[in-house]
Amino acid sequence: MVTAVQDSPLTSDEVLRFVARLQASDVVVDAAAGIDLISALETVKCASVATQALVTDAVATVISNERKERGKPKAQWRNGIASQIGLARRESPNRGGTHLGLARALVHEMPHTLARLKAGELNEWRVMILARETACLTVDDRRTIDERLCADPATLAGAGDRTIEGRARALANELDAASQVRRRAKAYAARRTSTRPAPESMGFFTVLTSMEKMVCMWATLRRDADTIINSGGDTRTRDQIMADLVFERITGASAAQGPPVTVDVVIADSALLAGGDTSAYMHGYGDIPSDVARQLIRDTLDSETHVALRRLYAHPTSGALTAVESTSRAFPTALGRLIDLRDRTCRTPWCDAPIRHHDHIRPHSAGGRTSAQNGAGLCAACNYAKEGDGWTAEARRDKRGARHRYTLISPTGHTYDSSAPPMPVVELYNSRIENVIITGLFDDDAA
């Protein structure tokens, strides 16, 4: 094992020099040496996570102490810190909050776990498991489990994720069984549904609920699917029938009918009417092939579902939507819809949460206009963080016809650029004259 004597604080430049060495290194050909290098790099990853935890806690402490000394209310001492951590790690504010919570737990309550992480004997996910399974305990009980499982490196040597989770949970039950009851009640209060895209224009619809309800729902779907199969005449598989039954029982419509809610699909006119291959966009899902979008529209037209065509005007080269302006403080419905379609998800870098708020980039109280140029779609967490002490933002337009862009400045002075994605309605014409004319029409209006 190689040891080093630290004679000065670690700096970002020093770390980046090491990263540059890794980036410029050649691949090892010898198998044995390669395995050693893989193991060493895994230790580097774990040690880096441990150092990140130490720095994260230190940054949070410095910021909160500075606000405390300035006489800020206690409720504001930690406002926006999670967002800064998330941005620094190129992740969402929600993940930043997770990293911040883990860092504080490791530094202040789980020193042995932190030591195992720093030594490369536990990775970040297994450390997260230990923190999660002991989160409901008192500080003393958590420290007891930390000592019993991680003081001796041999205790968890070779243990996998499930083993570590089981041992931590067993000790938690032993030390404080009542906390597990409270934990279950808290978890049930967080029951919810969620969606996320899947490959091949599919999607996951997830329900988080109690174990007994989950088993009951699954058993009911399976029973009814078996009944349909046993009656004969249905060529669908059991899984297909169960998926269709979920849709039917939630929406009240059969799986062959269109959904009885508004679904926005943005598609270029050339792709819709002339068979073009420009990718379309389904709001709430993401990019979909133009063939799939056309098939969805055809199926809907063939059913009794109401279909409305709304024209969107975008710059022909950048894909920027045209601006709409309002004199009201709140974003009106039409302008809010434009922002939703333009931004798609939260505009904070690395945060792809659904849009919940239409935010004034320059605050309305500071003279910011209610317009597409000064508006951005944000999730609730990012909007609340942006309203915290020291955050600023500035809308930018680099050139005519450019896509909407603004800069977010954190309290520490770090800047992050956010650009709206291009619309799937960009079309270049064969005629150079047509392109000049069309581009000129949008030069003064692009958002």
Side-chain angles (χ1 to χ4, degrees), residues 197-204 282 285-293 296:
E200 310 299 339
S201 301
M202 300 292 283
F204 293 101
M282 178 180 287
Y285 177 84
D287 293 294
I288 59 175
S290 56
D291 287 342
V292 174
L296 289 173

Side-chain angles (χ1 to χ4, degrees), residues 381-398:
C382 287
N383 192 32
Y384 294 141
K386 178 177 172 288
E387 297 301 318
D389 189 44
W391 289 87
T392 57
E394 180 180 351
R396 299 187 180 278
R397 177 180 284 175
D398 296 332

Side-chain angles (χ1 to χ4, degrees), residues 326-340:
S326 170
T327 57
S328 66
R329 186 181 189 282
F331 287 85
T333 301
L335 181 54
R337 182 182 292 274
L338 182 143
I339 291 174
D340 289 341

Side-chain angles (χ1 to χ4, degrees), residues 13 45 82 103 151 201 230 252 295 300 325 346 413 424 427:
D13 287 341
K45 285 166 56 179
S201 301
N230 293 334
Q295 184 62 50
T300 304
E325 192 163 312
C346 178
E427 183 65 50

Side-chain angles (χ1 to χ4, degrees), residues 85-121:
I85 300 303
L87 287 168
R89 294 189 60 149
R90 303 177 183 90
E91 296 197 62
S92 68
N94 182 59
R95 290 288 296 169
T98 300
H99 292 309
L100 176 58
L102 177 62
R104 293 195 60 78
L106 291 174
V107 173
H108 299 284
E109 300 172 5
M110 306 175 72
H112 298 293
T113 303
L114 179 60
R116 301 283 72 77
L117 177 63
K118 186 179 292 186
E121 295 156 352

Side-chain angles (χ1 to χ4, degrees), residues 118-345:
K118 186 179 292 186
E121 295 156 352
L122 288 176
N123 61 27
E124 184 175 23
W125 175 244
R126 289 169 182 167
V127 166
M128 187 79 74
I129 290 174
L130 290 171
R132 182 190 68 201
E133 295 301 323
T134 58
C136 58
L137 302 175
T138 64
V139 173
D140 289 340
D141 285 343
R142 188 180 226 179
R143 286 173 177 163
T144 297
I145 293 179
D146 174 60
E147 182 175 2
R148 290 173 66 173
L149 291 181
C150 297
D152 184 357
T155 303
L156 294 180
D161 296 352
R162 291 187 178 180
T163 299
I164 292 174
E165 180 179 354
R167 296 186 67 172
R169 187 174 298 170
L171 286 174
N173 290 335
E174 174 187 326
L175 292 173
D176 189 357
S179 68
Q180 301 304 305
V181 177
R182 294 193 299 270
R183 178 181 180 180
R184 186 181 186 281
K186 182 178 179 180
Y188 184 66
R191 60 193 182 278
R192 63 186 182 275
T193 61
S194 61
T195 62
R196 62 187 177 92
E200 310 299 339
S201 301
M202 300 292 283
F204 293 101
F205 181 85
T206 306
V207 179
L208 179 65
T209 188
S210 62
M211 175 180 58
E212 67 277 7
K213 289 187 177 180
M214 176 271 296
V215 172
C216 181
M217 288 189 296
W218 178 264
T220 301
L221 288 171
R222 188 177 179 87
R223 179 201 65 194
D224 294 348
D226 287 341
T227 300
I228 294 174
I229 291 173
N230 293 334
S231 65
D234 200 310
T235 60
R236 294 174 295 174
T237 66
R238 177 184 288 107
D239 287 341
Q240 290 171 342
I241 293 174
M242 292 171 69
D244 290 345
L245 286 174
V246 171
F247 175 83
E248 292 170 7
R249 291 175 181 180
I250 290 178
T251 65
S254 69
Q257 294 175 330
V261 294
T262 299
V263 176
D264 289 319
V265 177
V266 182
I267 184 171
D269 53 358
S270 59
L272 175 63
L273 304 174
D277 56 4
T278 303
S279 177
Y281 180 80
M282 178 180 287
H283 191 60
Y285 177 84
D287 293 294
I288 59 175
S290 56
D291 287 342
V292 174
R294 285 192 293 267
Q295 184 62 50
L296 289 173
I297 295 170
R298 279 196 297 267
D299 292 345
T300 304
L301 290 171
D302 291 339
S303 68
E304 297 180 356
T305 303
H306 174 69
V307 179
L309 178 65
R310 180 182 294 107
R311 289 173 293 182
L312 299 176
Y313 295 95
H315 192 277
T317 55
S318 68
L321 281 179
T322 55
V324 178
E325 192 163 312
S326 170
T327 57
S328 66
R329 186 181 189 282
F331 287 85
T333 301
L335 181 54
R337 182 182 292 274
L338 182 143
I339 291 174
D340 289 341
L341 293 174
R342 181 196 69 193
D343 295 348
R344 303 186 183 181
T345 60

